[in-house]
């Protein structure tokens, strides 16, 4: 008998770091030293703040490189890093470092942005708390999925996997314990970064509905 | 008074329920707000709205106001302007007087809060009281801090660095200080007169009253008559559009009665507008919230072509009304508009004219921008998000780790 699924939610308080960059060299220096919560914030902020957009703009780094520095090729390269392939922030950070170092080696001198358009590094402090929702079986799970906030959905799919290092999203892990391996696998195989949060909610519900 | 439950139909039950979950975690702590005025000005307005809602959530929250004479407020106005990078002469005697008044208030105020939440520069030096009473201290800066006068910033910095946490409204306002800096954007209240839904008939009546034709496209900028809002640039952009497309321009705002510079700007605007019957320059009183709301709702495109801007809440107001907005990429505007997704960011008169023409020619795209803009404001810049951030801010004082399990 699997444990019930306890739905949690999360909120971020955003911190302004004393660090900004005016070109890709300074961006690289920043990416190397900022805390993990900063890399997470800049690669996931769009998902939370602009979840209604499809196609979503890429991560903050890519948006700044493309739209402010107007380095379209590099912006596309940074923007197309497939976050879902990275099990941790450390590995994701290393990939950005690799791409930027390779670009800087081949493209000197680098371009500065106009004054006032610098990239400001931020970080986030994340608060996780339980909601009153508890699912004891698949039927309850599906019903609650329709009601939970976008923050709760975001937490179990994105935050749990890459930030809390749980390897897979919370839903799939619980569904496997419940013996629902097919549904678990199908949710695991989704690329959640290509959906809006509402679209993702509907997709997961539709996967569960196929079971009935 | 507006009750929290009234926001449920706007933001959804789950958002209000989550505020209750968070507020429960701060129970037992008292938050004491301190600022310089109980009425008038943006800080008093937001506290008037937020404090009753925090109380309804069960948070112990109070509000105290420092006392000062006219001389103190003249000096603090100078400090405010200097932090806005205006050229202002402030003598050492004036700075000493500013500190004396703060010290006197520090002696007289009953510091009953576990968290002392100080707003803006006027009461910033109250922090000196901390040596005696301890507690957690937050300084909330509501003003544009992107380019403060160096001498005044250096004076203020020695006090700000004694706080536990400092809060700014935009990333660009952050400073090179040792204190932890938090980003909390301001917000709009969707149920206020400025933002609530209006009957179409009322909107029609406002447009009719000014002789503006709702059958023809209406381009509008709402802002006080100030060079930094570039109203003359707006007219020039309109003229570039007008060569190819029939449209009207509305420039509406205040600031031209009590401000000598405002009068000059209004005169320059009138000269630039000349006899164009499709340009409407409306000088409105500060209390014309419903009229401004109607003008925004009835417009085809909203502009905010500022040369400098604080956070730019007029942009939030326009986006909330699902209007396509073309605005300058200054101050807090890039936080509200992602170019091409939730609005358009421009840098020049020509660029502004180009995008007005594009949006007039492609109303479907303009509509999508407006819809995206409204969603963005709903999730990120309404008063409910502001309350959530304040609750997180209070909780952060007691939990130092990056990931906090509550």
């Amino acid at each position: 008998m699997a444990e019930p699924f306890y739905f949690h939610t999360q909120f971020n308080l955003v911190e302004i770091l004393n660090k900004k960059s005016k070109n890709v060299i300074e961006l690289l220096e920043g990416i190397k030293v900022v805390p993990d919560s900063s890399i997470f914030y800049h690669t996931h902020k769009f998902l939370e703040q602009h979840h209604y957009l499809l196609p979503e703009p890429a991560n903050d780094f890519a948006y700044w490189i493309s739209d402010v520095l107007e380095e379209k090729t590099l912006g596309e390269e940074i923007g197309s890093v497939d976050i879902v392939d990275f099990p941790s922030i450390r590995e994701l950070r290393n990939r950005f470092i690799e791409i930027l170092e390779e670009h800087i080696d081949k493209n000197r001198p680098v371009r500065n942005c106009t004054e006032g358009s610098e990239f400001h590094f931020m970080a986030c402090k994340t608060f996780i708390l339980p909601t009153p929702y508890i699912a004891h079986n698949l039927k309850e799970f599906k019903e609650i999925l329709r009601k939970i906030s976008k923050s709760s959905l975001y937490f179990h799919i994105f935050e749990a996997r890459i930030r809390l290092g749980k390897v897979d999203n919370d839903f799939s892990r619980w569904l496997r314990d419940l013996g629902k391996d097919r549904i678990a696998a199908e949710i695991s195989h989704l690329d959640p970064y290509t959906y809006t949060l509402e679209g993702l909610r509907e997709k997961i519900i539709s996967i569960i509905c196929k079971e009935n | 008074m507006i009750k929290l439950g009234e926001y449920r139909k706007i933001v959804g039950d789950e958002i209000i329920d989550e505020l209750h979950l968070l507020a429960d975690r701060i129970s037992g702590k008292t938050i004491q707000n301190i600022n310089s005025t109980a009425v008038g000005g943006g800080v008093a307005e937001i506290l008037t709205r937020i404090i009753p809602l925090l109380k309804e959530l069960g948070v112990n929250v109070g509000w105290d106001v420092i006392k000062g004479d006219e001389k103190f407020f003249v000096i603090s106005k100078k400090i405010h302007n200097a932090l806005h990078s205006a050229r202002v002469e402030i003598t050492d005697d004036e700075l000493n007087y500013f500190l004396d008044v703060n010290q006197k208030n520090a002696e007289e105020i009953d510091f009953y809060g576990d968290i002392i939440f100080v707003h803006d520069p006027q009461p910033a030096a109250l922090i000196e009281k901390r040596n005696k009473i301890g507690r957690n201290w937050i300084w909330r800066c509501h003003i544009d801090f992107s380019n403060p006068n160096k001498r005044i910033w250096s004076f203020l910095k020695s006090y700000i660095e004694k706080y536990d946490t400092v809060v700014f409204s935009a990333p660009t306002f952050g400073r090179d200080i040792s204190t932890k800096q938090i980003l909390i954007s301001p917000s709009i209240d969707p149920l206020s007169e400025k933002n609530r839904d209006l009957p179409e008939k009322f909107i029609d009546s406002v447009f009719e009253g000014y002789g503006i034709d709702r059958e023809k496209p209406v381009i509008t900028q709402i802002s006080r008559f100030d060079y930094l809002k570039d109203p003359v640039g707006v007219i020039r952009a309109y003229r570039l559009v007008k060569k190819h497309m029939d449209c009207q321009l509305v420039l509406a705002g205040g600031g031209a009665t009590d401000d000598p510079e405002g009068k000059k700007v209004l005169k320059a605007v009138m000269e630039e507008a000349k006899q164009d019957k499709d340009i409407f320059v409306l000088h409105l009183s500060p209390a014309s919230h419903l009229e401004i709301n109607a003008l925004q709702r009835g417009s085809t495109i909203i502009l905010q072509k500022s040369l400098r801007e604080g956070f730019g809440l007029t942009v939030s107001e326009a986006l909330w009304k699902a209007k396509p907005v073309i605005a300058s990429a200054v101050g807090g505007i890039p936080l509200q508009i992602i170019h091409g997704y939730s609005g358009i960011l421009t840098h020049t008169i020509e660029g502004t004219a180009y995008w007005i023409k594009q949006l007039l020619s492609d109303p479907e795209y303009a509509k999508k921008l407006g819809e995206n803009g409204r969603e963005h404001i709903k999730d990120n810049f309404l008063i409910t998000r502001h309350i959530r951030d304040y609750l997180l801010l209070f909780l952060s004082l007691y939990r130092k780790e990056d990931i906090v399990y509550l």
Side-chain angles (χ1 to χ4, degrees):
Chain A
M1 185 77 179
E3 286 285 309
F5 188 88
Y6 294 91
F7 283 86
H8 285 67
T9 191
Q10 61 94 48
F11 305 103
N12 288 323
L13 184 65
V14 180
E15 187 182 343
I16 304 171
L17 300 177
N18 265 338
K19 186 164 265 312
K20 60 183 179 180
S21 53
K22 61 178 181 298
N23 57 43
V24 287
I25 293 177
E26 292 180 10
L27 184 72
L28 171 64
E29 285 163 4
I31 287 178
K32 282 180 176 173
V33 298
V34 292
D36 280 1
S37 65
S38 177
I39 303 291
F40 181 80
Y41 174 80
H42 288 299
T43 50
H44 288 74
K45 185 192 85 181
F46 270 116
L47 290 164
E48 263 201 301
Q49 295 192 352
H50 301 271
H51 61 83
Y52 48 87
L53 296 176
L54 196 67
E56 276 158 5
N59 60 65
D60 279 354
F61 304 128
Y63 181 76
W64 184 74
I65 291 168
S66 297
D67 280 53
V68 177
L69 291 182
E70 298 190 341
E71 298 269 10
K72 301 291 181 192
T73 309
L74 179 64
E76 189 175 305
E77 215 175 335
I78 292 282
S80 56
V81 167
D82 214 347
I83 300 174
V84 76
D85 286 346
F86 294 84
S88 71
I89 295 291
R90 185 173 54 82
E91 279 143 304
L92 180 62
R93 183 201 303 260
N94 287 343
R95 180 66 189 131
F96 289 138
I97 291 171
E98 246 172 53
I99 295 171
L100 286 168
E101 282 180 340
E102 197 176 319
H103 172 87
I104 291 163
D105 279 350
K106 289 180 192 160
N107 297 278
R108 282 179 183 270
V110 296
R111 186 181 301 172
N112 286 341
C113 68
T114 54
E115 201 181 332
S117 306
E118 295 85 0
F119 186 89
H120 290 261
F121 281 95
M122 319 283 274
C124 60
K125 188 181 187 79
T126 301
F127 295 81
I128 299 166
L129 66 168
T131 71
Y133 297 115
I134 302 167
H136 298 86
N137 53 50
L138 195 60
K139 184 167 175 279
E140 286 179 4
F141 184 77
K142 188 178 73 179
E143 281 162 11
I144 293 172
L145 261 186
R146 294 187 198 280
K147 289 191 263 189
I148 58 168
S149 67
K150 286 178 285 228
S151 298
S152 177
L153 183 69
Y154 173 84
F155 170 74
H156 289 296
I157 294 287
F158 296 96
E159 190 108 13
R161 190 189 70 82
I162 194 164
R163 189 140 182 238
L164 305 183
K166 291 182 183 172
V167 183
D168 205 347
N169 71 77
D170 282 344
F171 295 161
S172 293
R173 289 170 55 243
W174 180 73
L175 287 161
R176 256 181 226 111
D177 289 348
L178 203 64
K180 304 290 181 188
D181 289 7
R182 187 197 59 78
I183 306 177
E186 212 171 322
I187 295 172
S188 268
H189 288 144
L190 291 175
D191 179 351
Y193 293 89
T194 58
Y195 291 86
T196 64
L197 284 173
E198 283 307 331
L200 188 60
R201 187 199 306 267
E202 287 312 311
K203 182 69 189 171
I204 294 171
I205 290 171
S206 77
I207 291 171
I208 296 169
C209 283
K210 280 196 287 183
E211 179 82 358
N212 300 332
Chain B
M1 192 180 293
I2 300 167
K3 307 295 276 183
L4 200 55
E6 294 176 58
Y7 295 92
R8 284 185 180 272
K9 60 182 182 295
I10 296 170
V11 296
D13 286 336
E14 68 281 10
I15 299 294
I16 304 301
D17 292 343
E18 286 180 341
L19 288 182
H20 281 283
L21 285 177
L22 273 177
D24 288 348
R25 301 302 204 276
I26 198 74
S27 67
K29 303 287 182 202
T30 301
I31 292 97
Q32 181 177 11
N33 291 275
I34 302 178
N35 80 322
S36 65
T37 173
V39 286
V43 178
E45 186 185 333
I46 195 67
L47 288 176
T48 303
R49 291 182 182 280
I50 281 184
I51 286 177
L53 297 173
L54 281 171
K55 284 184 174 166
E56 202 185 328
L57 284 164
V59 180
N60 293 324
V61 56
W63 179 7
D64 292 83
V65 175
I66 56 165
K67 291 177 189 153
D69 57 9
E70 198 185 336
K71 182 178 172 187
F72 172 76
F73 285 109
V74 168
I75 296 166
S76 54
K77 179 71 181 169
K78 281 188 181 181
I79 290 175
H80 179 275
N81 289 342
L83 293 170
H84 268 287
S85 73
R87 281 192 185 173
V88 181
E89 288 299 320
I90 305 177
T91 64
D92 287 346
D93 282 349
E94 287 176 317
L95 292 179
N96 287 332
Y97 190 78
F98 175 85
L99 294 178
D100 288 346
V101 173
N102 264 267
Q103 193 185 345
K104 196 158 178 286
N105 274 282
E107 284 160 12
E108 288 175 2
I109 290 174
D110 168 19
F111 289 93
Y112 52 81
D114 299 296
I115 297 169
I116 313 292
F117 196 10
V118 176
H119 298 264
D120 273 352
Q122 301 91 334
L126 291 179
I127 186 70
E128 295 292 32
K129 186 78 176 185
R130 183 185 189 154
N131 290 336
K132 276 191 186 167
I133 63 166
R135 321 288 172 86
N136 287 292
W137 290 70
I138 304 170
W139 185 63
R140 177 23 156 165
C141 176
H142 294 266
I143 62 180
D144 176 351
F145 234 66
S146 50
N147 194 21
N149 171 296
K150 281 189 182 143
R151 176 169 163 255
I152 296 304
W153 167 235
S154 159
F155 163 76
L156 202 58
K157 184 180 174 183
S158 58
Y159 298 96
I160 300 311
E161 287 201 309
K162 292 178 182 168
Y163 283 81
D164 292 293
T165 299
V166 175
V167 181
F168 290 109
S169 296
T172 48
F173 301 167
R175 298 284 100 199
D176 187 10
I177 52 175
S178 52
T179 318
K180 186 180 272 289
Q181 300 174 72
I182 297 295
L183 172 68
I184 297 183
S185 302
S187 61
I188 60 167
D189 186 341
L191 297 175
S192 68
E193 287 192 344
K194 280 182 191 172
N195 297 304
R196 65 177 165 84
D197 283 343
L198 293 175
E200 205 57 31
K201 269 189 181 170
F202 179 78
I203 300 171
D204 279 342
S205 72
V206 170
F207 276 71
E208 268 172 41
Y210 288 115
I212 307 164
D213 180 2
R214 286 197 74 187
E215 298 299 313
K216 267 200 316 197
V218 180
I219 321 294
T220 297
Q221 175 159 303
I222 307 284
S223 60
R224 65 178 192 275
F225 291 96
D226 179 329
Y227 284 116
L228 294 178
K229 309 296 177 189
D230 199 17
V232 173
V234 170
I235 296 176
R236 290 180 185 159
Y238 153 83
R239 288 204 199 289
L240 292 174
V241 176
K242 187 80 171 174
K243 283 198 284 186
H244 307 282
M245 298 169 122
D246 194 14
C247 58
Q248 303 161 95
L249 177 67
V250 175
L251 287 166
T257 44
D258 54 351
D259 171 12
E261 191 179 278
K263 282 181 189 159
K264 273 195 227 164
V265 176
L266 184 60
K267 189 165 173 261
V269 167
M270 299 303 277
E271 273 171 22
E272 185 71 28
K274 289 180 187 150
Q275 300 302 315
D276 188 331
K277 64 177 177 39
D278 280 333
I279 299 180
F280 300 85
V281 181
L282 313 179
H283 188 247
L284 304 175
S285 79
S288 311
H289 301 318
L290 285 173
E291 256 184 327
I292 287 173
N293 185 344
L295 287 169
Q296 287 171 321
R297 286 183 187 278
S299 295
T300 318
I301 293 170
I302 304 280
L303 303 183
Q304 191 62 56
K305 215 203 124 339
S306 306
L307 303 175
R308 280 200 52 197
E309 193 58 73
F311 185 76
L313 277 178
T314 50
V315 170
S316 308
E317 288 165 11
L319 291 171
W320 174 242
K321 291 157 188 127
K323 290 292 155 184
V325 177
I326 302 173
S328 305
V330 294
I333 293 175
L335 290 180
Q336 303 176 63
I337 291 180
I338 302 301
H339 178 69
Y341 291 94
S342 51
I344 299 295
L345 293 176
T346 59
H347 303 269
T348 60
I349 291 171
E350 291 75 15
T352 304
Y354 169 81
W355 277 106
I356 294 172
K357 285 188 283 181
Q358 291 292 315
L359 297 189
L360 289 180
S361 309
D362 190 349
E364 275 307 304
Y365 178 54
K367 185 167 176 261
K368 188 68 197 162
L369 287 181
E371 285 166 356
N372 283 344
R374 181 177 165 92
E375 279 297 310
H376 187 44
I377 299 302
K378 181 179 157 188
D379 286 345
N380 300 293
F381 300 108
L382 294 188
I383 192 168
T384 41
R385 189 278 309 153
H386 206 158
I387 290 170
R388 187 191 73 203
D389 280 356
Y390 276 177
L391 292 170
L392 295 174
L393 173 69
F394 305 147
L395 287 164
S396 76
L397 295 167
Y398 300 96
R399 303 293 294 266
K400 301 301 171 197
E401 59 271 38
D402 262 359
I403 299 176
V404 180
Y405 290 89
L406 291 172

